[in-house]
Amino acid sequence: EVQLQASGGGLVQTGGSLRLSCAASGFTFEDYAIGWFRQAPGKEREGVSSITINYGDKFYADSVKGRFTISSDNSKNTVYLQMNSLKPEDTAVYYCAADPLRVGLLDEYDYWGQGTEVTVSS
């Protein structure tokens, strides 16, 4: 059974940092792409960043380029999203997702974890 466990959200002030973690199990980690998505209140879910575990290709939404960094620790089957210089508009529930075929930032991934909430205060 594919399981994705997102964690690391919290309350932070503008300009602060958080690191989200997505712990994966139930599939061959290296064969998948892992994506981070977010949904703010009243808005549609949007892609934030993704990584192909095997090749290390990384994708970022324009709104987070230069501030967020995605990485993976294959020994722990975990993907991280380091978020720096956070802004109030980054406030959202963040989800991680996995797919063996899809890459990039479209939210058509097959498997989804529960969300972790990020709140950036002004």
Side-chain angles (χ1 to χ4, degrees), residues 79-91:
V79 169
Y80 302 100
L81 185 68
Q82 179 66 45
M83 306 188 297
N84 298 330
S85 302
L86 283 161
K87 305 175 181 180
E89 51 263 44
D90 295 317
T91 295

